[in-house]
Amino acid sequence: MICRSYPKRRAIRGASLLVLSMLATAAHGQQAETPAPQDDRNADIIVTAQFRSTNLQDTPLAITALTGEQLADRSFNNIADVGRAAPSVTLRLASSGYGKSTQAYIRGIGQTDFNFALEPAVGFYVDDVYHASLFGTSFDLLDLERIEILRGPQGTLFGKNSIGGAVRLISQKPRDRFEASIEGTYGSYDRIDLRGMVNIPLVAEQLALRLSFASKERDGYVDRVDFACAYPQLAGNLTPTVSQHGNSCKLGTLGGESVRAGRAALRWTPSSDIEVNLAAEIIRDNSEGAADSLIYINTAATALVNHNNNRLIPAYGIPYDGRFIVDPYVSFASYDSKFLGREVPAVNTVHSESYSGDIAWNITENVQFKSITAYQKFNGRFTQNANNAPLPVALTDNIAGFEQFTQEFRVVGTSFNDMLDWAAGVFYFEGDSTLGGGAYLAASNIGFDQNDSTHAKNRSAFAHGTLHLTEQFSLTAGLRYTKESKSYRFDRVNVPAGTPFFAGGAFTSPEAEMDRVDYKIGLDYQLTDRVMVYGQFSTGFKGGGINPRPFTPAAAVPFGPETLNAYEIGLKSDLFDRLVRLNLAAYHSDYSNLQLSANGFDNNGAPSIVIANAGSARINGVEAEMEIRPARGLQIDMSASYTDFKIKDLGAAAGVSGGPTLDSKAPGVPEWKYNAGIQYRAELGNGGSLTPRFDVYYQSRLFNEWTNNPRAAEDGYALANARLTYNAPDEEWYAALSVTNLFDQFYYVNRFIQSGTYIFTGQPSRPREWAVTVGRRF
């Protein structure tokens, strides 16, 4: 009994210390001798998380919102950076085996795998258009008004069920005035960024056009080296493919970027009651292979021992072993599986096109109709030499394609003399994907080319309302019905034989179908004009799918949805004449039918990857966010979170080789997470202003898969960024010097146990980098 209650006591004690620490900091801020003027108090941030514009502090939800200016101040360059500023949130770029994806976890719930057979646990929305796959979510922060991160299940409002939470990117809309900007950045690894915007009013107060563009170029930071050239005495019969030049045997690099993006937005307001927004965005990302390096090789594994003795040593005179682990910033990957006759380029690309249109019509003064129509398509290729060596052991090639159509209709209104705010609507999604390329696992005598495809549909209807019982007290309730389906066709051919991979040839798996009702009920009470408390209960789910990596048809089976019952209480406050903003939230979630994967071997010794619903877990957590403006020009912001994830029941996964245990912690979820930033704007009179800023981020130990293998875990680490910004007196010219990873902290962004479980790889962190930015606003 004592042992079981300890995590709860630890969570309560941690939450108490967290709250007391922040309240003490707030009290210190109150003692400032000179009160900040009105324009130095915490500004109102308007969000649209409930389909209407509301003050962030008056919205009874756990939301982190950052404006475009705040993103720049923190030197955030992509969506993965933004996760550092929000409690209970992990956003990280995927490893080389998962392509241009953002692996997102909120409050202990997330998704690592990009495969289209699986549903994201955290929803990504760009201007309210749902992005149905993790692949393609490594968004650049192009001309954004703000980002909103909503924590907790979003089952009753947003376009598609998001069990963990939602990340919303809201772009700047065209405006009825001319404006433009241009910005250039030069930095480490020959980084050259260029971005700009022009806003043109075509017809006064009726039609405006906004054009935005971005270009990024940066060399890779992991060297890809010819092993036989660099270490001839250890290379056996391998022959160099490059001639040594000086001390260099480089074949190239990994982790380099080459991206072009453009966006056009047209806003038409033919009358005061109608607004039409059309947008088109094109991205051409031709980056080289993602950074990847060897961490560990289990040379005692039976499959590897056999491969070394029977194939590698006879052919090359050396085994695959620890000689290929020399430096996390060096890879000996050749991207060539000689035994299976496959060689692939070292690439990590995505080409996307997105088109959307929304129509807002004020039917009456209190009722608005909105239609959001969108079409997206993207394709890309990402490869991984999983053994990071010139010896053929494991090579994967993914050629992904996806297209989706979404349609949403909403009606939002206010009734009964402003006593009821309500929203209702329907949502439709249809998506098709393809996955080509193949897997070439020489050590397991498996090699195949593939031409798989997926088809998915989602239809839902929702209603949501807030009843203002008194001026201070409100009741919120919501309901959503969802019906969805997914099918997967497996079409694979053995390499080099050319025979069908599956006995009987290509086949389509049984369709995964389900329907679901989610609901929410909440109360909020305005204690004062600047202090609100709230409580809510909500449900959510993550759709089912089909096991996408079977080695026999019998393993290509559907699995069901995950479900969540979530309880939350919170406080939102502006204290001491709005000099201090303190938001707190505590939650308890009952998490059922977890979609767990087990990587291992089947009874015939072949690699086996199985995904199945298993057992349940409970998640407890506490979150705090604070902003302080103790004096003119001085701003301090911080957040912290504690997450306690505990598996209660493994169900069918109990005892499965390569599966989780009752002691397993959820992957991608650090127990503790903190960030803090401080900046001071020093006015230089007629010389403009100078603003130094310093940020620090910490996360505790993080596991990367359900077995919690310590070699695949990342110990806690802290990162620091610094930025110095100069603004000219007229605010038109500006310049900034930024340094990321200021103290050159090394860590792995992610770690991965390759299929077969004897190769451990990881994406090493970017080292300390500097950049100089110069911009002009017109």
Side-chain angles (χ1 to χ4, degrees):
M1 294 295 291
I2 293 174
C3 293
R4 291 184 179 179
S5 64
Y6 172 71
K8 294 183 179 179
R9 295 206 313 272
R10 184 173 59 178
I12 294 170
R13 183 168 67 247
S16 301
L17 290 172
L18 190 65
V19 173
L20 288 173
S21 173
M22 289 200 161
L23 288 174
T25 307
H28 178 75
Q30 186 187 25
Q31 296 169 4
E33 295 181 2
T34 305
Q38 179 65 37
D39 58 4
D40 269 274
R41 297 173 186 175
N42 283 297
D44 291 334
I45 297 178
I46 303 303
V47 296
T48 53
Q50 294 180 312
F51 294 156
R52 62 183 74 245
S53 297
T54 58
N55 185 342
L56 174 66
Q57 292 303 100
D58 295 333
T59 306
L61 298 171
I63 308 174
T64 297
L66 295 172
T67 66
E69 182 180 0
Q70 290 172 325
L71 296 171
D73 288 343
R74 290 161 172 78
S75 300
F76 289 165
N77 298 306
N78 58 55
I79 191 64
D81 292 337
V82 180
R84 296 175 185 165
S88 302
V89 176
T90 299
L91 301 177
R92 62 182 186 182
L93 297 178
S95 63
S96 58
Y98 290 145
K100 288 287 185 174
S101 306
T102 299
Q103 296 174 338
Y105 294 83
I106 296 179
R107 291 185 172 177
I109 301 173
Q111 173 71 22
T112 299
D113 199 338
F114 82 95
N115 196 284
F116 306 117
L118 311 172
E119 290 292 309
V122 173
F124 285 89
Y125 299 82
V126 179
D127 296 328
D128 280 347
V129 175
Y130 178 69
H131 193 99
S133 167
L134 285 187
F135 181 63
T137 55
S138 54
F139 301 114
D140 184 50
L141 308 181
L142 177 62
D143 199 23
L144 292 180
E145 176 187 318
R146 69 184 184 278
I147 288 180
E148 298 175 9
I149 301 180
L150 286 69
R151 304 187 293 277
Q154 306 299 312
T156 61
L157 271 179
F158 281 94
K160 200 169 185 292
N161 41 288
S162 300
I163 188 173
V167 179
R168 302 181 64 219
L169 288 75
I170 295 96
S171 305
Q172 295 278 7
K173 284 185 176 182
R175 302 171 183 168
D176 193 40
R177 65 174 184 270
F178 177 82
E179 57 184 357
S181 64
I182 186 75
E183 178 184 286
T185 298
Y186 179 78
S188 301
Y189 297 96
D190 285 333
R191 173 185 171 184
I192 300 177
D193 294 358
L194 185 65
R195 62 178 59 219
M197 173 277 300
V198 59
N199 188 97
I200 306 170
L202 302 175
V203 179
E205 299 184 0
Q206 286 195 20
L207 191 63
L209 174 68
R210 191 178 185 95
L211 303 174
S212 311
F213 72 91
S215 171
K216 298 196 300 182
E217 293 284 342
R218 180 162 53 173
D219 291 343
Y221 64 99
V222 170
D223 290 336
R224 192 157 69 90
V225 174
D226 184 332
F227 185 80
C229 171
Y231 299 95
Q233 70 279 12
L234 299 175
N237 299 329
L238 289 171
T239 56
T241 56
V242 297
S243 299
Q244 185 168 1
H245 179 70
N247 293 322
S248 175
C249 291
K250 283 179 63 173
L251 294 167
T253 59
L254 298 174
E257 294 179 296
S258 179
V259 185
R260 306 288 183 273
R263 185 175 188 273
L266 188 69
R267 187 183 189 189
W268 180 41
T269 51
S271 72
S272 59
D273 294 328
I274 297 177
E275 179 180 322
V276 179
N277 285 280
L278 304 176
E281 182 175 274
I282 297 177
I283 299 174
R284 296 291 181 262
D285 185 338
N286 293 307
S287 297
E288 65 185 14
D292 196 37
S293 60
L294 267 177
I295 297 175
Y296 172 76
I297 305 170
N298 179 11
T299 55
T302 301
L304 184 56
V305 170
N306 292 336
H307 189 57
N308 281 332
N309 292 335
N310 298 331
R311 305 188 78 173
L312 297 184
I313 294 175
Y316 301 105
I318 56 172
Y320 176 64
D321 58 18
R323 73 188 67 206
F324 298 107
I325 305 175
V326 298
D327 186 306
Y329 292 107
V330 172
S331 170
F332 300 112
S334 65
Y335 291 84
D336 184 1
S337 187
K338 298 178 178 62
F339 286 143
L340 297 175
R342 286 294 183 270
E343 183 176 1
V344 299
V347 294
N348 190 21
T349 70
V350 62
H351 294 179
S352 69
E353 298 177 19
S354 302
Y355 307 95
S356 65
D358 72 68
I359 303 171
W361 172 32
N362 295 326
I363 301 174
T364 69
E365 183 179 352
N366 296 320
V367 178
Q368 183 192 69
F369 168 82
K370 192 165 191 177
S371 168
I372 303 173
T373 307
Y375 171 76
Q376 299 180 53
K377 66 175 181 178
F378 53 88
N379 62 78
R381 187 178 191 182
F382 50 99
T383 56
Q384 182 186 40
N385 195 153
N387 52 295
N388 278 274
L391 301 181
V393 178
L395 178 68
T396 57
D397 180 20
N398 292 280
I399 303 173
F402 185 79
E403 61 178 342
Q404 68 171 61
F405 172 80
T406 56
Q407 175 64 61
E408 185 167 1
F409 296 113
R410 301 178 193 158
V411 182
V412 179
T414 302
S415 302
F416 308 118
N417 295 321
D418 297 334
M419 284 187 60
L420 177 65
D421 295 325
W422 55 270
V426 294
F427 173 79
Y428 176 81
F429 160 86
E430 187 165 3
D432 290 283
S433 68
T434 58
L435 187 60
Y440 315 106
L441 311 177
S444 302
N445 289 313
I446 292 175
F448 59 83
D449 292 330
Q450 63 186 4
N451 185 25
D452 293 355
S453 60
T454 311
H455 180 72
K457 282 186 178 182
N458 179 289
R459 291 147 287 177
S460 58
F462 67 89
H464 190 275
T466 299
L467 180 62
H468 304 289
L469 300 171
T470 68
E471 289 187 3
Q472 292 82 30
F473 187 46
S474 298
L475 168 68
T476 297
L479 189 71
R480 175 184 283 265
Y481 171 76
T482 301
K483 184 175 183 179
E484 63 180 30
S485 62
K486 180 172 291 185
S487 63
Y488 201 110
R489 179 168 176 78
F490 297 89
D491 187 356
R492 301 176 182 180
V493 176
N494 285 314
V495 172
T499 56
F501 181 78
F502 296 109
F507 69 96
T508 300
S509 71
E511 189 172 55
E513 293 184 289
M514 60 149 295
D515 59 358
R516 162 86 179 180
V517 174
D518 281 301
Y519 61 96
K520 170 183 177 177
I521 186 165
L523 299 169
D524 63 86
Y525 187 75
Q526 202 78 36
L527 296 173
T528 71
D529 287 344
R530 296 297 175 185
V531 179
M532 179 185 70
V533 293
Y534 68 90
Q536 65 180 22
F537 170 79
S538 57
T539 70
F541 80 100
K542 173 186 169 185
I546 295 106
N547 181 23
R549 297 184 180 89
F551 288 89
T552 63
V557 294
F559 51 87
E562 297 180 341
T563 60
L564 190 77
N565 292 334
Y567 306 82
E568 179 181 334
I569 57 173
L571 168 93
K572 292 198 169 185
S573 63
D574 282 317
L575 307 172
F576 311 119
D577 200 21
R578 299 183 66 190
L579 299 182
V580 175
R581 174 168 292 166
L582 176 63
N583 295 340
L584 302 172
Y587 64 89
H588 167 84
S589 298
D590 292 319
Y591 189 20
S592 301
N593 298 314
L594 284 66
Q595 296 168 3
L596 303 186
S597 62
N599 297 345
F601 295 92
D602 63 21
N603 293 332
N604 296 319
S608 175
I609 303 174
V610 177
I611 299 176
N613 299 99
S616 62
R618 65 105 178 100
I619 313 170
N620 294 326
V622 61
E623 304 159 343
E625 296 179 281
M626 175 178 281
E627 294 182 17
I628 313 170
R629 296 179 182 262
R632 175 185 282 273
L634 179 60
Q635 175 184 329
I636 302 169
D637 48 78
M638 60 187 75
S639 71
S641 60
Y642 172 77
T643 306
D644 179 24
F645 187 105
K646 177 64 177 175
I647 295 179
K648 296 165 56 180
D649 174 29
L650 285 172
V656 174
S657 174
T661 69
L662 288 174
D663 294 324
S664 292
K665 299 296 183 181
V669 182
E671 190 175 46
W672 289 97
K673 187 171 181 282
Y674 309 97
N675 81 277
I678 183 170
Q679 70 180 50
Y680 177 70
R681 178 177 174 125
E683 299 294 343
L684 305 178
N686 294 330
S689 66
L690 198 63
T691 306
R693 181 178 175 90
F694 179 78
D695 288 279
V696 64
Y697 166 81
Y698 168 79
Q699 70 175 38
S700 61
R701 195 180 198 203
L702 182 146
F703 296 98
N704 287 283
E705 41 68 58
W706 282 104
T707 68
N708 289 182
N709 188 307
R711 296 189 185 279
E714 189 62 34
D715 288 335
Y717 60 86
L719 297 177
N721 294 341
R723 185 179 180 94
L724 182 64
T725 304
Y726 170 75
N727 274 289
D730 56 8
E731 298 283 336
E732 292 182 351
W733 285 99
Y734 62 93
L737 170 64
S738 61
V739 181
T740 53
N741 196 359
L742 181 64
F743 301 114
D744 206 19
Q745 171 71 49
F746 177 80
Y747 61 98
Y748 283 98
V749 176
N750 48 59
R751 298 183 184 222
F752 190 72
I753 304 177
Q754 300 293 339
S755 179
T757 70
Y758 49 80
I759 303 174
F760 292 68
T761 63
Q763 181 181 358
S765 60
R766 299 198 70 93
R768 177 172 51 229
E769 297 176 280
W770 60 270
V772 175
T773 299
V774 177
R776 174 77 158 90
R777 306 180 186 97
F778 300 91

